Structure formats: C-alpha cells, structure tokens
Amino acid sequence: MLSTLRKAWKLPDLRKRLLWTIVLVVIYRIGIHIPVPGVDTSKLINLTSQAGSIGGFYDLMSGGAFSNFSIFAMGVLPFINASIIVQLLTIAIPSLEAMQKEGEDGRKKIQKITRYSSILIGAFQTFAMYSIINSQGALRDTSKLNMLLIMLTLTTASTFLMWLGEQLTVKGIGNGISLIMFVNIISRIPTSIGQISSLQQAQTIDPVQLIVLIVVVVALFVAVVIACLAERRIPVQYAGKATAKGLKGQTSHIPLNINSSAIIAIIFAMAVMRFPLMILQFWPKSAAYNIILNGKYSIFKDSSVGYMIAEFIFIIFFTWFYTQITFKPDEMAENMHKSSGFVPGIRPGEPTARYIETVLGNVSILWGAFAGVIAVAPMILQLYVKSQAMYFTGTGMLIVVGVALETMKAIEAHLVMRRYEGFLSE
C-alpha cells in the first residue's frame, strides 16, 4: 500500500488529486468543530455511550459531530438513505428503471433525484433529531424559532456535505461520500484509545478485561479484512475458436462479493430497530413509550438480548433482500449467453439464472450472518468490559476496510491507466 502511494505521489496528476483529497477533508474536519448554538452537549452522553444505540451509530458515522452537536451532526446519512431508497425504487417503478438504462444521461437524472430526495430526508431526520435531543433536556431554548434555526442549520450543512462528497469524487481519489465516512470512523480511534486508557488507569476495568477487549477487536479486524477480500467465484466457460491444434476456449469467472450489501443491511436493521422509538419521541409521556423503552420483554431496549437477536435476524434478512434486488441473475445469464459463455454443467438461459440466484442466496445468508456477528459483538463486549469507549464498532470496521480497499484499487487503476497512456504515446 505504501509503495502504491509513493508511486502515485510521483505522478503530477495523481499528486494533484491526493492534495485535493487532503484539502477537502481538512475543510470538512474544520466544520466538525463548529457547534450548533443552544444545545447542552453534556446531556447527550447517554444517547452516544451505548455501542448498539442509534445515537452511538450517528456519532460514529459523523466522526463525533453528534456528541458535540456540531453543524455536521447528521453527516452524510441523509444522502446515503436517499441513495438506498432511490435504488430500491428503481426496481419498483418502471420509469426509474428505464431511466437507469439510458446510460450517462439516465445516471445524471437519477443523481439529481437522489440529491433532492436527500434534502427532504435530511429535513425529516433533523426534525426527529431535534425531538430526540429535546426529550433529553439538552435544549436551552425550546421556542419554534430555535427549532427552525436548528433544523435549517443541520439540513443546510448536510446538503453542503453532499456537495463536498461529490467534489471529492470528481477532484480527489475514490468515492467522496465513502471517504467522508472513512475519515469519520478513523477519527474516533484516538478518542476510544484515550478513554480505554483512562478507564484502565482508574482501575474501572482490570487487565483481563483489557486483554479480552484487545483480542476481540484484533480478531474482528482480521475477520473483516479476510471477508472483504474473499469472493465466491462462479466459473464461466466461453465457446472456443477452431485452431490448427483443435478447439480452444477461454475460462473465466464471475466474482461475487456483497460487502456493500452487508453494510447497507446493518444500516437498514438499525433504522428498523430504532424507528418505533424515534416516532415515540414525539409522545415521551405515553404508555407505549414506557413499554417499548423500558418493558421487560421489549426487543427495542438497547443492548438487551432480545435487541441483539432481533437485529441479527434483520441483518441477515436485509442482506439477502438487498442482494436479490441489486444483483439480477436474469440479466447476468442473458449477458453470459450473448457472449457465448456458460457455467460448466448448467444449461444456458433459465437454468443458469436459477443457479446464479441460488448461489447469491447462499452467499448473502452467509454474509448476513457474518455481518450480524460483527454488528452484535461490540454490544456483547461492552456488557463484559463495562466500557463506554466502543466507538470503533464492527460496523465501522466493515466500512473502513471496504473503503480502504476500494480507494487503493482506484489508485492502482489510475497507475495502470498512466502506464497504458505512456505505452500508447511511444
């Protein structure tokens, strides 16, 4: 990796892209420290201290902006949610599906719809976030004017982040939105290490618990790296051409890696698990709020056994569901047939589509179970260690490793392209 970065730095074009990436990231990190006025952040600790809570997830994805309640408290989550929703709607609405197949023009139209949708979703999320912090007594001014000011500030800042991510994609290296999430998660590591060190010095956790924490984190990291690099390969045989030595064909494969589906599944599962509480924040004194929040058998209670089991099941389901709608076995089989390719032992056409669908189903369930373990493990570890310094969760590891690998592939692609350009110019 370091060798690849050194080679990239020597090329003027790539060096310019790297510098743009650094500058834009610095601008974003400066905005992290601009607070929203009128909010007592000391009363938000309970919302962000739990590893599996929605507040902890927001704080992780925003790089600590939620716990400090800065202008970037929502991060890029509205844009991510809008992208997921629009992608799902392209399956259900024929006009959007046709638009997606129009090439570059269709892609630009889809992006425009996603941008406007993210603003609407951001406005709704800011209202929900305002209700949540208001229920915690963190607002010094509860007037309507202050509510509108906070909502306008957060929505505008989220829209600016969407624009900043697009600039990172165009002028920098890799996907801008993913890089913002990457920087946010990485920025929480020093804070987590400092808090764990403070707990150890105060003898709040003993050496055995500290060793268990380190071992589990390292094991999770290694498992995530291996899983992100792993892929299920479907062998493909292409029809050969007649030569003097006989019939010669080509053998290839279709690589299946659904790491992105697992990450999205975790976001979906957390949203479903927290949606009832988010809605009930508008009626904090109702009986339903107390039953769901504090009920003995409630599966929506943070870090309870029921919550962990339900989230684990939802992650498996959403991984399978999202894989089924994003990967299209019929189109894959049709494209394979047009290229004179076939899966050895499987007839072309409908049998090939059914075979690919079966393989995708098995891989998605396996990946979903792995992602579920990665998401639930920090909650279990937190119960044992009794620590609030669990910002670098399994979900964060999945995102960090996935984005790092994608960024390195993008740099390598630029380097390969420069080699071909140099070869062609000679």
Side-chain angles (χ1 to χ4, degrees):
M1 182 178 70
L2 294 177
S3 176
T4 302
L5 290 174
R6 282 197 299 268
K7 292 178 182 178
W9 188 258
K10 293 178 181 178
L11 296 174
D13 186 28
L14 282 180
R15 183 168 60 247
K16 183 179 179 181
R17 285 182 170 272
L18 290 173
L19 289 174
W20 263 113
T21 302
I22 294 172
V23 169
L24 293 176
V25 168
V26 169
I27 292 174
Y28 165 65
R29 292 303 300 176
I30 291 174
I32 289 287
H33 301 285
I34 302 176
V36 175
V39 179
D40 186 1
T41 57
S42 63
K43 296 184 179 180
L44 300 178
I45 296 176
N46 292 333
L47 289 175
T48 59
S49 60
Q50 297 295 326
S53 65
I54 192 68
F57 181 73
Y58 269 124
D59 198 46
L60 175 71
M61 294 296 104
S62 63
F66 181 75
S67 58
N68 296 326
F69 214 77
S70 74
I71 59 174
F72 292 151
M74 284 201 308
V76 293
L77 285 179
F79 181 78
I80 294 173
N81 293 333
S83 300
I84 295 172
I85 292 172
V86 171
Q87 191 171 2
L88 293 175
L89 290 177
T90 55
I91 309 299
I93 302 176
S95 58
L96 288 178
E97 186 176 6
M99 190 183 299
Q100 193 178 36
K101 296 179 180 178
E102 292 178 0
E104 184 66 20
D105 291 337
R107 188 180 65 85
K108 290 181 179 179
K109 293 178 182 177
I110 293 291
Q111 286 182 342
K112 189 175 182 180
I113 294 173
T114 304
R115 293 191 192 103
Y116 287 122
S117 300
S118 67
I119 296 175
L120 294 176
I121 293 173
F124 173 77
Q125 288 186 345
T126 54
F127 183 66
M129 187 176 291
Y130 174 86
S131 301
I132 292 174
I133 63 173
N134 188 27
S135 65
Q136 300 293 317
L139 293 175
R140 298 188 179 95
D141 182 5
T142 58
S143 64
K144 298 292 184 181
L145 179 61
N146 189 55
M147 179 187 73
L148 292 175
L149 178 62
I150 292 176
M151 290 180 58
L152 181 62
T153 301
L154 294 178
T155 305
T156 304
S158 177
T159 306
F160 172 76
L161 281 185
M162 176 179 62
W163 175 83
L164 189 68
E166 291 179 352
Q167 296 304 308
L168 270 170
T169 302
V170 174
K171 298 181 179 181
I173 294 180
N175 184 282
I177 300 296
S178 299
L179 284 173
I180 289 175
M181 295 176 64
F182 175 87
V183 171
N184 287 341
I185 297 170
I186 290 295
S187 67
R188 304 307 294 159
I189 297 180
T191 301
S192 297
I193 294 176
Q195 289 182 350
I196 292 173
S197 177
S198 299
L199 291 173
Q200 199 275 331
Q201 293 176 0
Q203 297 183 349
T204 304
I205 57 175
D206 56 53
V208 175
Q209 290 178 324
L210 183 61
I211 293 173
V212 170
L213 174 64
I214 295 174
V215 170
V216 172
V217 170
V218 172
L220 285 176
F221 182 77
V222 173
V224 168
V225 172
I226 294 174
C228 288
L229 292 174
E231 59 186 22
R232 171 67 163 87
R233 297 180 177 180
I234 299 178
V236 179
Q237 182 71 38
Y238 291 96
K241 297 180 180 180
T243 62
K245 297 182 181 180
L247 192 65
K248 185 177 181 181
Q250 291 182 339
T251 302
S252 183
H253 63 269
I254 301 175
L256 299 178
N257 187 312
I258 55 176
N259 176 45
S260 59
S261 298
I263 296 173
I264 291 173
I266 293 175
I267 296 175
F268 270 8
M270 292 194 67
V272 169
M273 294 300 298
R274 301 301 300 183
F275 185 74
L277 293 181
M278 187 177 295
I279 295 298
L280 288 172
Q281 291 290 342
F282 301 112
W283 301 279
K285 297 181 180 180
S286 63
Y289 181 87
N290 292 326
I291 293 173
I292 292 179
L293 184 62
N294 302 315
K296 183 178 181 181
Y297 301 103
S298 175
I299 64 172
F300 299 102
K301 190 175 181 180
D302 286 342
S303 300
S304 65
V305 176
Y307 181 94
M308 296 179 192
I309 294 174
E311 183 168 326
F312 181 82
I313 294 174
F314 273 125
I315 289 173
I316 295 177
F317 170 76
F318 282 123
T319 303
W320 171 82
F321 176 76
Y322 193 77
T323 301
Q324 293 296 317
I325 64 174
T326 51
F327 290 85
K328 300 179 179 179
D330 293 339
E331 293 185 3
M332 295 170 69
E334 183 180 355
N335 294 332
M336 193 187 305
H337 182 65
K338 289 179 180 179
S339 303
S340 301
F342 62 92
V343 178
I346 307 296
R347 295 182 60 186
E350 185 64 26
T352 299
R354 288 199 301 267
Y355 174 76
I356 295 175
E357 185 177 0
T358 301
V359 172
L360 279 173
N362 295 335
V363 173
S364 63
I365 292 175
L366 181 63
W367 243 108
F370 172 78
V373 171
I374 292 296
V376 172
M379 304 182 203
I380 300 174
L381 184 62
Q382 188 179 42
L383 294 176
Y384 174 73
V385 178
K386 304 294 183 182
S387 169
Q388 295 181 351
M390 290 300 297
Y391 291 107
F392 196 66
T393 62
T395 307
M397 289 184 187
L398 278 173
I399 296 173
V400 166
V401 174
V403 174
L405 292 175
E406 289 179 3
T407 304
M408 290 308 301
K409 288 179 182 178
I411 295 176
E412 291 173 356
H414 279 287
L415 291 174
V416 171
M417 185 173 63
R418 295 302 180 279
R419 291 197 196 103
Y420 277 111
E421 288 178 353
F423 174 75
L424 292 173
S425 62
E426 291 178 356

